[in-house]
Amino acid sequence: MSVPEFELIQRFFTRRIQDKPDIVLGVGDDAALISPSADQQLVIAIDTLVKGVHFPDTTSPYDIGWKALAVNLSDLAAMGADPTWFTLALTLPESTETWLTEFSRGLFDLANQYNLPLIGGDTTRGPLTITIQIAGAVPPGQALLRAGAAPGDHIFVSGSLGDATLALQLLAGELPASVADYPELLAHLNRPQPRIAEGRALRGIASCAIDVSDGLLADLQHILDASGCGAEIFQESLPFSSAARQLLDRFPEMWRALISGGDDYQLCFCVAPENIAHLKQMAQQYDFDFTEIGRICAARELRCLDATGKAVDVGARGYTHFAEENQ
Ligand code: ADP
Ligand code: MG
């Protein structure tokens, strides 16, 4: 059943906003009204998901709602910010009640984890596209930037790498295995868990950070470019999930795809030697899952070393829109 625009906004995207003194006015007027905190810096990010580009046509509306917000939260996590509000621009081919019910359920299930209010948006008709703009707050000068890595810094990632890429390859039938046998890989692809708590705990400890959205190699390269240095990563240290390891046993060459594929939404960050003890203590206190994967070096290249210290070829790097090979 088709839902008219006004009713659609009212029913699916208007929620009571609680315990948010900075939000003067949310959904319903010509614009939202915010009183930003004077003693915090405002952090803004925006990310769009396009059907068929950022998620397969078969993705459920619940997962689309979840993921559209998760990728934005992940950008705030990478800045070390606390999320404060978001807006939603939704382009829909049709306003189906069941689709909207499930989409908004996925969206608010994740938003509610952070008591994160939706304060406004726009609704239009067209090919399915979801844009979310998110705002966060960080104490002045404490945001985690891409620049800041220095030779000698230790490089870490949260969680495991490549699970979403593997799920995509299984869904596309590119591996002789069934995605049904690996539900945890599919969960990584469809319901990434943004590393907000980790990002904020890394303030004052990490020298730089980025979220891994385009693949470890590509995103670590952004840190290196911004910081004017290079890195050595250790093949043996790369954190892969048990499901990924099972597949790697059968298809050992796949490890390259796991560090060049996208959609991990983990954090990659660097820590100076004098802050390592602090990091370890913090990770233990909060039970965070961080793995050291390499070191920053002065020579401006990114190399991967095997267990014997020999450089290994890592092949292609990450996903790029408008790259020649995509056209
Ligand atoms: P206008 O024509 O003045 O832009 P809209 O009908 O687009 O008004 O929006 C009316 C109100 O509903 C605004 O507060 C807007 O922010 C909100 N809104 C519209 N679409 C959405 C959406 N998809 N999610 C959340 N709020 C929305
Ligand atoms: Mg509008």
Side-chain angles (χ1 to χ4, degrees), residues 218-232:
D219 288 315
L220 176 56
Q221 187 64 52
H222 291 317
I223 285 185
L224 303 180
D225 291 342
S227 305
C229 47
E232 287 177 341

Side-chain angles (χ1 to χ4, degrees), residues 5 30 121-123:
E5 182 184 335
D30 295 316
D122 196 25
T123 308

